[in-house]
Amino acid sequence: MEKMKKYFQFTGTINGTNYFLRNLLCSFLGFFIGYGIGYGVGSGDTGMIILFAALFAPVMWFQLTTIYKRMMALFPSDAPLYTGGLITMQLVMSAMSPENTMRSMLTLILLIIAGILIFKNSNIENHEG
């Protein structure tokens, strides 16, 4: 149980490969949970909606800790600020309509940031997070 706790705590750092793999896992789980919620809504099964909505919270928490830990590895003094900024940009982009030109620009900026988070080397030899 102690080994699993580290994945949900805002301590330690992770490398770019670990960041990529965690994001891949969150994407897969997010798709699965979204499908479950949609299926519950479509079939009128309130229990299924509640179950998958309850599963959504730990996945989001895991995603937040993943972003924070990678920011801590690259930008230790400004990690909370950069984490909040990245999440804000993701939320703003998801609220925009697909035809909006600013959405395209924001998508490009987020892709550049993702590349930096995945490929940039940190000064930390052994990541513990």
Side-chain angles (χ1 to χ4, degrees), residues 2-31 58-73 90 117-118 127-129:
E2 285 296 318
K3 184 152 176 68
M4 290 300 292
K5 275 177 130 177
K6 77 175 186 173
Y7 294 108
F8 295 94
Q9 294 176 338
F10 289 91
T11 56
T13 59
I14 58 174
N15 60 26
T17 304
N18 208 345
Y19 176 77
F20 175 76
L21 293 173
R22 287 180 181 206
N23 273 318
L24 198 62
L25 176 66
C26 283
S27 297
F28 175 75
L29 291 174
F31 175 79
V59 172
M60 285 306 296
W61 192 263
F62 181 71
Q63 181 66 32
L64 286 172
T65 59
T66 298
I67 293 170
Y68 182 78
K69 287 178 182 191
R70 187 60 185 151
M71 291 291 187
M72 278 298 289
Q90 289 173 340
L117 291 175
I118 293 170
H127 296 277
E128 295 179 16

Tab-separated table of all heavy atoms in Angstrom, residues 2-31 58-73 90 117-118 127-129:
chain	number	residue	atom	x	y	z
A	2	GLU	N	1.979	1.218	0.733
A	2	GLU	CA	2.871	2.383	0.788
A	2	GLU	C	3.451	2.689	-0.593
A	2	GLU	O	3.626	3.837	-0.939
A	2	GLU	CB	4.008	2.144	1.796
A	2	GLU	CG	3.582	2.251	3.236
A	2	GLU	CD	3.115	3.649	3.596
A	2	GLU	OE1	3.751	4.642	3.168
A	2	GLU	OE2	2.104	3.758	4.293
A	3	LYS	N	3.724	1.651	-1.367
A	3	LYS	CA	4.279	1.856	-2.701
A	3	LYS	C	3.271	2.557	-3.610
A	3	LYS	O	3.645	3.389	-4.431
A	3	LYS	CB	4.684	0.511	-3.292
A	3	LYS	CG	5.364	0.625	-4.627
A	3	LYS	CD	6.310	-0.519	-4.844
A	3	LYS	CE	6.937	-0.494	-6.206
A	3	LYS	NZ	7.854	0.566	-6.470
A	4	MET	N	1.999	2.252	-3.445
A	4	MET	CA	0.965	2.893	-4.270
A	4	MET	C	0.723	4.338	-3.858
A	4	MET	O	0.317	5.157	-4.685
A	4	MET	CB	-0.347	2.107	-4.183
A	4	MET	CG	-0.307	0.754	-4.862
A	4	MET	SD	0.067	0.853	-6.607
A	4	MET	CE	-1.405	1.634	-7.210
A	5	LYS	N	0.954	4.672	-2.596
A	5	LYS	CA	0.709	6.034	-2.115
A	5	LYS	C	1.555	7.065	-2.851
A	5	LYS	O	1.115	8.180	-3.090
A	5	LYS	CB	1.006	6.119	-0.617
A	5	LYS	CG	-0.120	5.722	0.272
A	5	LYS	CD	0.362	5.780	1.686
A	5	LYS	CE	-0.554	6.550	2.556
A	5	LYS	NZ	-0.112	6.557	3.951
A	6	LYS	N	2.778	6.680	-3.213
A	6	LYS	CA	3.683	7.656	-3.827
A	6	LYS	C	3.153	8.179	-5.158
A	6	LYS	O	3.495	9.274	-5.574
A	6	LYS	CB	5.075	7.063	-4.002
A	6	LYS	CG	5.223	6.103	-5.149
A	6	LYS	CD	6.654	5.661	-5.317
A	6	LYS	CE	6.786	4.827	-6.571
A	6	LYS	NZ	8.160	4.511	-6.861
A	7	TYR	N	2.313	7.406	-5.821
A	7	TYR	CA	1.759	7.848	-7.100
A	7	TYR	C	0.709	8.939	-6.937
A	7	TYR	O	0.383	9.625	-7.899
A	7	TYR	CB	1.152	6.662	-7.857
A	7	TYR	CG	2.179	5.639	-8.274
A	7	TYR	CD1	2.249	4.415	-7.638
A	7	TYR	CD2	3.080	5.922	-9.285
A	7	TYR	CE1	3.196	3.475	-8.016
A	7	TYR	CE2	4.034	4.994	-9.666
A	7	TYR	CZ	4.086	3.777	-9.029
A	7	TYR	OH	5.021	2.857	-9.402
A	8	PHE	N	0.180	9.101	-5.745
A	8	PHE	CA	-0.892	10.068	-5.506
A	8	PHE	C	-0.467	11.215	-4.593
A	8	PHE	O	-1.288	12.008	-4.185
A	8	PHE	CB	-2.114	9.349	-4.918
A	8	PHE	CG	-2.735	8.372	-5.880
A	8	PHE	CD1	-2.378	7.038	-5.872
A	8	PHE	CD2	-3.665	8.800	-6.817
A	8	PHE	CE1	-2.935	6.142	-6.772
A	8	PHE	CE2	-4.228	7.911	-7.722
A	8	PHE	CZ	-3.849	6.581	-7.698
A	9	GLN	N	0.813	11.293	-4.269
A	9	GLN	CA	1.318	12.355	-3.406
A	9	GLN	C	2.084	13.388	-4.227
A	9	GLN	O	2.725	13.058	-5.221
A	9	GLN	CB	2.223	11.773	-2.325
A	9	GLN	CG	1.502	10.886	-1.352
A	9	GLN	CD	2.447	10.241	-0.358
A	9	GLN	OE1	3.639	10.108	-0.603
A	9	GLN	NE2	1.906	9.849	0.789
A	10	PHE	N	2.036	14.620	-3.778
A	10	PHE	CA	2.723	15.706	-4.466
A	10	PHE	C	4.151	15.849	-3.958
A	10	PHE	O	4.597	16.941	-3.615
A	10	PHE	CB	1.958	17.021	-4.274
A	10	PHE	CG	0.668	17.068	-5.039
A	10	PHE	CD1	-0.511	16.641	-4.458
A	10	PHE	CD2	0.636	17.524	-6.331
A	10	PHE	CE1	-1.705	16.680	-5.156
A	10	PHE	CE2	-0.555	17.576	-7.052
A	10	PHE	CZ	-1.720	17.145	-6.466
A	11	THR	N	4.887	14.748	-3.904
A	11	THR	CA	6.293	14.771	-3.483
A	11	THR	C	7.111	13.994	-4.500
A	11	THR	O	6.619	13.095	-5.165
A	11	THR	CB	6.468	14.109	-2.096
A	11	THR	OG1	5.945	12.775	-2.148
A	11	THR	CG2	5.756	14.897	-1.019
A	12	GLY	N	8.378	14.345	-4.608
A	12	GLY	CA	9.272	13.656	-5.525
A	12	GLY	C	9.204	14.224	-6.928
A	12	GLY	O	8.521	15.219	-7.204
A	13	THR	N	9.953	13.580	-7.816
A	13	THR	CA	10.015	13.995	-9.210
A	13	THR	C	9.936	12.751	-10.100
A	13	THR	O	10.133	11.636	-9.632
A	13	THR	CB	11.337	14.730	-9.503
A	13	THR	OG1	12.430	13.844	-9.209
A	13	THR	CG2	11.464	16.006	-8.687
A	14	ILE	N	9.657	12.968	-11.379
A	14	ILE	CA	9.642	11.873	-12.352
A	14	ILE	C	10.387	12.312	-13.606
A	14	ILE	O	10.530	13.508	-13.875
A	14	ILE	CB	8.209	11.423	-12.707
A	14	ILE	CG1	7.375	12.573	-13.257
A	14	ILE	CG2	7.536	10.757	-11.530
A	14	ILE	CD1	5.998	12.172	-13.759
A	15	ASN	N	10.853	11.332	-14.373
A	15	ASN	CA	11.545	11.650	-15.625
A	15	ASN	C	10.543	11.749	-16.774
A	15	ASN	O	9.355	11.488	-16.602
A	15	ASN	CB	12.640	10.613	-15.906
A	15	ASN	CG	12.101	9.206	-16.037
A	15	ASN	OD1	10.942	9.000	-16.389
A	15	ASN	ND2	12.951	8.238	-15.766
A	16	GLY	N	11.030	12.102	-17.949
A	16	GLY	CA	10.156	12.303	-19.101
A	16	GLY	C	9.464	11.032	-19.564
A	16	GLY	O	8.293	11.062	-19.953
A	17	THR	N	10.169	9.909	-19.523
A	17	THR	CA	9.563	8.637	-19.926
A	17	THR	C	8.425	8.257	-18.997
A	17	THR	O	7.344	7.848	-19.439
A	17	THR	CB	10.622	7.521	-19.940
A	17	THR	OG1	11.691	7.913	-20.783
A	17	THR	CG2	10.043	6.207	-20.412
A	18	ASN	N	8.668	8.415	-17.711
A	18	ASN	CA	7.643	8.117	-16.714
A	18	ASN	C	6.448	9.054	-16.895
A	18	ASN	O	5.295	8.632	-16.782
A	18	ASN	CB	8.235	8.258	-15.313
A	18	ASN	CG	7.561	7.384	-14.306
A	18	ASN	OD1	6.484	6.859	-14.535
A	18	ASN	ND2	8.199	7.240	-13.161
A	19	TYR	N	6.716	10.312	-17.187
A	19	TYR	CA	5.653	11.284	-17.440
A	19	TYR	C	4.802	10.858	-18.633
A	19	TYR	O	3.573	10.874	-18.579
A	19	TYR	CB	6.268	12.668	-17.679
A	19	TYR	CG	5.277	13.736	-18.053
A	19	TYR	CD1	4.462	14.313	-17.087
A	19	TYR	CD2	5.135	14.162	-19.367
A	19	TYR	CE1	3.536	15.286	-17.428
A	19	TYR	CE2	4.229	15.131	-19.716
A	19	TYR	CZ	3.428	15.694	-18.741
A	19	TYR	OH	2.511	16.651	-19.083
A	20	PHE	N	5.466	10.450	-19.717
A	20	PHE	CA	4.756	10.006	-20.907
A	20	PHE	C	3.890	8.776	-20.618
A	20	PHE	O	2.725	8.723	-21.003
A	20	PHE	CB	5.755	9.701	-22.030
A	20	PHE	CG	5.120	9.129	-23.255
A	20	PHE	CD1	4.419	9.940	-24.129
A	20	PHE	CD2	5.203	7.771	-23.530
A	20	PHE	CE1	3.813	9.417	-25.259
A	20	PHE	CE2	4.611	7.238	-24.657
A	20	PHE	CZ	3.917	8.063	-25.530
A	21	LEU	N	4.461	7.790	-19.930
A	21	LEU	CA	3.719	6.568	-19.630
A	21	LEU	C	2.534	6.828	-18.706
A	21	LEU	O	1.458	6.241	-18.873
A	21	LEU	CB	4.654	5.513	-19.036
A	21	LEU	CG	5.718	4.976	-19.993
A	21	LEU	CD1	6.688	4.059	-19.257
A	21	LEU	CD2	5.081	4.276	-21.173
A	22	ARG	N	2.723	7.710	-17.724
A	22	ARG	CA	1.613	8.044	-16.822
A	22	ARG	C	0.498	8.763	-17.575
A	22	ARG	O	-0.681	8.527	-17.327
A	22	ARG	CB	2.114	8.908	-15.668
A	22	ARG	CG	2.924	8.146	-14.650
A	22	ARG	CD	3.380	9.078	-13.561
A	22	ARG	NE	4.188	8.408	-12.572
A	22	ARG	CZ	4.307	8.816	-11.318
A	22	ARG	NH1	3.668	9.901	-10.923
A	22	ARG	NH2	5.062	8.162	-10.473
A	23	ASN	N	0.866	9.651	-18.494
A	23	ASN	CA	-0.149	10.340	-19.296
A	23	ASN	C	-0.882	9.369	-20.202
A	23	ASN	O	-2.093	9.500	-20.419
A	23	ASN	CB	0.479	11.461	-20.128
A	23	ASN	CG	0.561	12.746	-19.363
A	23	ASN	OD1	-0.372	13.119	-18.664
A	23	ASN	ND2	1.684	13.416	-19.467
A	24	LEU	N	-0.161	8.403	-20.736
A	24	LEU	CA	-0.785	7.373	-21.562
A	24	LEU	C	-1.790	6.574	-20.744
A	24	LEU	O	-2.919	6.330	-21.208
A	24	LEU	CB	0.299	6.458	-22.136
A	24	LEU	CG	-0.048	5.592	-23.317
A	24	LEU	CD1	-0.425	6.449	-24.519
A	24	LEU	CD2	1.143	4.710	-23.659
A	25	LEU	N	-1.417	6.208	-19.535
A	25	LEU	CA	-2.324	5.483	-18.645
A	25	LEU	C	-3.556	6.331	-18.310
A	25	LEU	O	-4.688	5.836	-18.353
A	25	LEU	CB	-1.604	5.060	-17.365
A	25	LEU	CG	-2.460	4.374	-16.304
A	25	LEU	CD1	-2.964	3.020	-16.805
A	25	LEU	CD2	-1.665	4.200	-15.015
A	26	CYS	N	-3.347	7.598	-18.002
A	26	CYS	CA	-4.474	8.483	-17.679
A	26	CYS	C	-5.405	8.649	-18.878
A	26	CYS	O	-6.629	8.696	-18.708
A	26	CYS	CB	-3.972	9.845	-17.214
A	26	CYS	SG	-3.370	9.844	-15.527
A	27	SER	N	-4.846	8.728	-20.065
A	27	SER	CA	-5.673	8.852	-21.268
A	27	SER	C	-6.525	7.606	-21.472
A	27	SER	O	-7.716	7.698	-21.769
A	27	SER	CB	-4.804	9.078	-22.501
A	27	SER	OG	-4.107	10.277	-22.381
A	28	PHE	N	-5.905	6.448	-21.308
A	28	PHE	CA	-6.635	5.189	-21.456
A	28	PHE	C	-7.735	5.075	-20.413
A	28	PHE	O	-8.885	4.751	-20.735
A	28	PHE	CB	-5.670	4.002	-21.348
A	28	PHE	CG	-6.362	2.673	-21.372
A	28	PHE	CD1	-6.874	2.163	-22.555
A	28	PHE	CD2	-6.511	1.938	-20.205
A	28	PHE	CE1	-7.520	0.939	-22.573
A	28	PHE	CE2	-7.155	0.717	-20.214
A	28	PHE	CZ	-7.660	0.211	-21.399
A	29	LEU	N	-7.397	5.360	-19.150
A	29	LEU	CA	-8.397	5.284	-18.089
A	29	LEU	C	-9.498	6.323	-18.280
A	29	LEU	O	-10.664	6.053	-18.031
A	29	LEU	CB	-7.735	5.449	-16.718
A	29	LEU	CG	-6.841	4.296	-16.271
A	29	LEU	CD1	-6.129	4.654	-14.970
A	29	LEU	CD2	-7.634	3.015	-16.120
A	30	GLY	N	-9.116	7.523	-18.712
A	30	GLY	CA	-10.110	8.568	-18.971
A	30	GLY	C	-11.088	8.168	-20.057
A	30	GLY	O	-12.292	8.399	-19.944
A	31	PHE	N	-10.574	7.545	-21.116
A	31	PHE	CA	-11.455	7.060	-22.184
A	31	PHE	C	-12.406	5.993	-21.652
A	31	PHE	O	-13.611	6.030	-21.915
A	31	PHE	CB	-10.626	6.496	-23.340
A	31	PHE	CG	-11.463	5.872	-24.419
A	31	PHE	CD1	-12.106	6.674	-25.353
A	31	PHE	CD2	-11.630	4.504	-24.487
A	31	PHE	CE1	-12.887	6.105	-26.347
A	31	PHE	CE2	-12.408	3.928	-25.472
A	31	PHE	CZ	-13.045	4.727	-26.402
A	58	PRO	N	-9.953	9.686	-8.702
A	58	PRO	CA	-8.561	9.254	-8.535
A	58	PRO	C	-7.722	9.400	-9.805
A	58	PRO	O	-6.528	9.685	-9.721
A	58	PRO	CB	-8.671	7.780	-8.141
A	58	PRO	CG	-10.068	7.518	-7.809
A	58	PRO	CD	-10.885	8.618	-8.386
A	59	VAL	N	-8.340	9.237	-10.949
A	59	VAL	CA	-7.593	9.396	-12.201
A	59	VAL	C	-7.162	10.853	-12.378
A	59	VAL	O	-6.029	11.138	-12.763
A	59	VAL	CB	-8.423	8.902	-13.409
A	59	VAL	CG1	-7.752	9.245	-14.725
A	59	VAL	CG2	-8.650	7.409	-13.314
A	60	MET	N	-8.047	11.773	-12.061
A	60	MET	CA	-7.693	13.195	-12.148
A	60	MET	C	-6.611	13.561	-11.142
A	60	MET	O	-5.701	14.330	-11.442
A	60	MET	CB	-8.935	14.078	-11.938
A	60	MET	CG	-9.863	14.100	-13.132
A	60	MET	SD	-9.063	14.560	-14.683
A	60	MET	CE	-8.556	16.209	-14.344
A	61	TRP	N	-6.709	13.004	-9.942
A	61	TRP	CA	-5.688	13.265	-8.909
A	61	TRP	C	-4.335	12.735	-9.367
A	61	TRP	O	-3.309	13.389	-9.208
A	61	TRP	CB	-6.110	12.626	-7.586
A	61	TRP	CG	-5.269	13.082	-6.450
A	61	TRP	CD1	-4.183	12.444	-5.919
A	61	TRP	CD2	-5.411	14.283	-5.701
A	61	TRP	NE1	-3.648	13.170	-4.893
A	61	TRP	CE2	-4.400	14.308	-4.743
A	61	TRP	CE3	-6.321	15.330	-5.765
A	61	TRP	CZ2	-4.256	15.354	-3.839
A	61	TRP	CZ3	-6.175	16.377	-4.857
A	61	TRP	CH2	-5.157	16.363	-3.917
A	62	PHE	N	-4.330	11.534	-9.933
A	62	PHE	CA	-3.108	10.934	-10.465
A	62	PHE	C	-2.518	11.814	-11.565
A	62	PHE	O	-1.307	12.019	-11.631
A	62	PHE	CB	-3.420	9.527	-10.986
A	62	PHE	CG	-2.236	8.798	-11.545
A	62	PHE	CD1	-1.224	8.338	-10.723
A	62	PHE	CD2	-2.139	8.553	-12.909
A	62	PHE	CE1	-0.135	7.654	-11.235
A	62	PHE	CE2	-1.061	7.871	-13.437
A	62	PHE	CZ	-0.052	7.418	-12.596
A	63	GLN	N	-3.368	12.362	-12.419
A	63	GLN	CA	-2.905	13.249	-13.484
A	63	GLN	C	-2.297	14.530	-12.909
A	63	GLN	O	-1.255	14.987	-13.372
A	63	GLN	CB	-4.053	13.588	-14.441
A	63	GLN	CG	-3.672	14.489	-15.582
A	63	GLN	CD	-2.701	13.846	-16.552
A	63	GLN	OE1	-2.719	12.652	-16.768
A	63	GLN	NE2	-1.842	14.650	-17.125
A	64	LEU	N	-2.937	15.099	-11.903
A	64	LEU	CA	-2.410	16.314	-11.275
A	64	LEU	C	-1.047	16.061	-10.641
A	64	LEU	O	-0.125	16.866	-10.792
A	64	LEU	CB	-3.391	16.829	-10.218
A	64	LEU	CG	-4.653	17.493	-10.733
A	64	LEU	CD1	-5.603	17.771	-9.573
A	64	LEU	CD2	-4.324	18.765	-11.469
A	65	THR	N	-0.912	14.951	-9.936
A	65	THR	CA	0.383	14.646	-9.308
A	65	THR	C	1.446	14.377	-10.366
A	65	THR	O	2.607	14.746	-10.183
A	65	THR	CB	0.288	13.456	-8.338
A	65	THR	OG1	-0.177	12.301	-9.033
A	65	THR	CG2	-0.620	13.764	-7.178
A	66	THR	N	1.069	13.763	-11.465
A	66	THR	CA	2.022	13.497	-12.546
A	66	THR	C	2.562	14.801	-13.119
A	66	THR	O	3.779	14.955	-13.288
A	66	THR	CB	1.353	12.663	-13.652
A	66	THR	OG1	0.960	11.405	-13.108
A	66	THR	CG2	2.278	12.444	-14.829
A	67	ILE	N	1.680	15.733	-13.420
A	67	ILE	CA	2.115	17.025	-13.952
A	67	ILE	C	2.999	17.752	-12.945
A	67	ILE	O	4.072	18.261	-13.284
A	67	ILE	CB	0.902	17.894	-14.333
A	67	ILE	CG1	0.148	17.281	-15.506
A	67	ILE	CG2	1.329	19.321	-14.673
A	67	ILE	CD1	-1.186	17.931	-15.789
A	68	TYR	N	2.573	17.774	-11.698
A	68	TYR	CA	3.338	18.477	-10.666
A	68	TYR	C	4.729	17.872	-10.482
A	68	TYR	O	5.718	18.600	-10.372
A	68	TYR	CB	2.571	18.456	-9.338
A	68	TYR	CG	3.280	19.204	-8.250
A	68	TYR	CD1	3.247	20.593	-8.200
A	68	TYR	CD2	4.010	18.538	-7.271
A	68	TYR	CE1	3.909	21.292	-7.220
A	68	TYR	CE2	4.678	19.224	-6.280
A	68	TYR	CZ	4.625	20.598	-6.258
A	68	TYR	OH	5.292	21.288	-5.282
A	69	LYS	N	4.822	16.558	-10.458
A	69	LYS	CA	6.119	15.909	-10.248
A	69	LYS	C	7.077	16.180	-11.400
A	69	LYS	O	8.281	16.353	-11.192
A	69	LYS	CB	5.935	14.406	-10.051
A	69	LYS	CG	5.333	14.068	-8.712
A	69	LYS	CD	5.122	12.585	-8.565
A	69	LYS	CE	4.472	12.290	-7.233
A	69	LYS	NZ	4.474	10.879	-6.898
A	70	ARG	N	6.565	16.227	-12.615
A	70	ARG	CA	7.437	16.535	-13.747
A	70	ARG	C	7.860	17.994	-13.716
A	70	ARG	O	9.003	18.328	-14.017
A	70	ARG	CB	6.749	16.196	-15.068
A	70	ARG	CG	7.659	16.339	-16.261
A	70	ARG	CD	8.873	15.438	-16.176
A	70	ARG	NE	9.782	15.675	-17.283
A	70	ARG	CZ	11.075	15.493	-17.233
A	70	ARG	NH1	11.644	15.032	-16.127
A	70	ARG	NH2	11.836	15.739	-18.274
A	71	MET	N	6.956	18.873	-13.351
A	71	MET	CA	7.309	20.289	-13.213
A	71	MET	C	8.355	20.480	-12.111
A	71	MET	O	9.257	21.304	-12.246
A	71	MET	CB	6.073	21.130	-12.906
A	71	MET	CG	5.086	21.234	-14.040
A	71	MET	SD	5.714	22.202	-15.404
A	71	MET	CE	4.268	22.305	-16.414
A	72	MET	N	8.240	19.707	-11.035
A	72	MET	CA	9.230	19.786	-9.948
A	72	MET	C	10.611	19.360	-10.432
A	72	MET	O	11.628	19.896	-9.987
A	72	MET	CB	8.816	18.911	-8.764
A	72	MET	CG	7.826	19.541	-7.831
A	72	MET	SD	8.428	21.045	-7.032
A	72	MET	CE	9.639	20.389	-5.907
A	73	ALA	N	10.670	18.393	-11.329
A	73	ALA	CA	11.952	17.939	-11.857
A	73	ALA	C	12.600	18.997	-12.747
A	73	ALA	O	13.817	19.172	-12.726
A	73	ALA	CB	11.778	16.644	-12.635
A	90	GLN	N	-5.289	23.930	-20.356
A	90	GLN	CA	-6.025	22.746	-20.818
A	90	GLN	C	-7.536	22.933	-20.639
A	90	GLN	O	-8.319	22.561	-21.513
A	90	GLN	CB	-5.557	21.497	-20.071
A	90	GLN	CG	-4.165	21.064	-20.466
A	90	GLN	CD	-3.640	19.934	-19.611
A	90	GLN	OE1	-4.123	19.682	-18.512
A	90	GLN	NE2	-2.627	19.249	-20.111
A	117	LEU	N	8.119	18.806	-21.590
A	117	LEU	CA	7.981	17.967	-20.400
A	117	LEU	C	8.452	16.534	-20.648
A	117	LEU	O	8.962	15.880	-19.742
A	117	LEU	CB	6.532	17.967	-19.915
A	117	LEU	CG	6.031	19.283	-19.341
A	117	LEU	CD1	4.546	19.191	-19.015
A	117	LEU	CD2	6.824	19.681	-18.114
A	118	ILE	N	8.290	16.049	-21.854
A	118	ILE	CA	8.704	14.675	-22.157
A	118	ILE	C	10.199	14.589	-22.456
A	118	ILE	O	10.889	13.704	-21.941
A	118	ILE	CB	7.890	14.112	-23.339
A	118	ILE	CG1	6.425	13.945	-22.930
A	118	ILE	CG2	8.463	12.768	-23.806
A	118	ILE	CD1	5.491	13.620	-24.075
A	127	HIS	N	15.164	9.919	-9.904
A	127	HIS	CA	13.836	10.453	-9.609
A	127	HIS	C	13.114	9.496	-8.668
A	127	HIS	O	13.117	8.296	-8.896
A	127	HIS	CB	13.031	10.597	-10.903
A	127	HIS	CG	13.601	11.584	-11.855
A	127	HIS	ND1	13.361	12.923	-11.752
A	127	HIS	CD2	14.416	11.430	-12.921
A	127	HIS	CE1	14.004	13.562	-12.727
A	127	HIS	NE2	14.653	12.664	-13.443
A	128	GLU	N	12.523	10.065	-7.621
A	128	GLU	CA	11.754	9.256	-6.670
A	128	GLU	C	10.348	9.814	-6.587
A	128	GLU	O	10.078	10.702	-5.799
A	128	GLU	CB	12.445	9.267	-5.307
A	128	GLU	CG	13.788	8.598	-5.309
A	128	GLU	CD	14.455	8.640	-3.959
A	128	GLU	OE1	13.756	8.910	-2.969
A	128	GLU	OE2	15.660	8.404	-3.900
A	129	GLY	N	9.490	9.305	-7.361
A	129	GLY	CA	8.123	9.806	-7.334
A	129	GLY	C	7.242	8.885	-8.073
A	129	GLY	O	6.108	8.889	-8.158
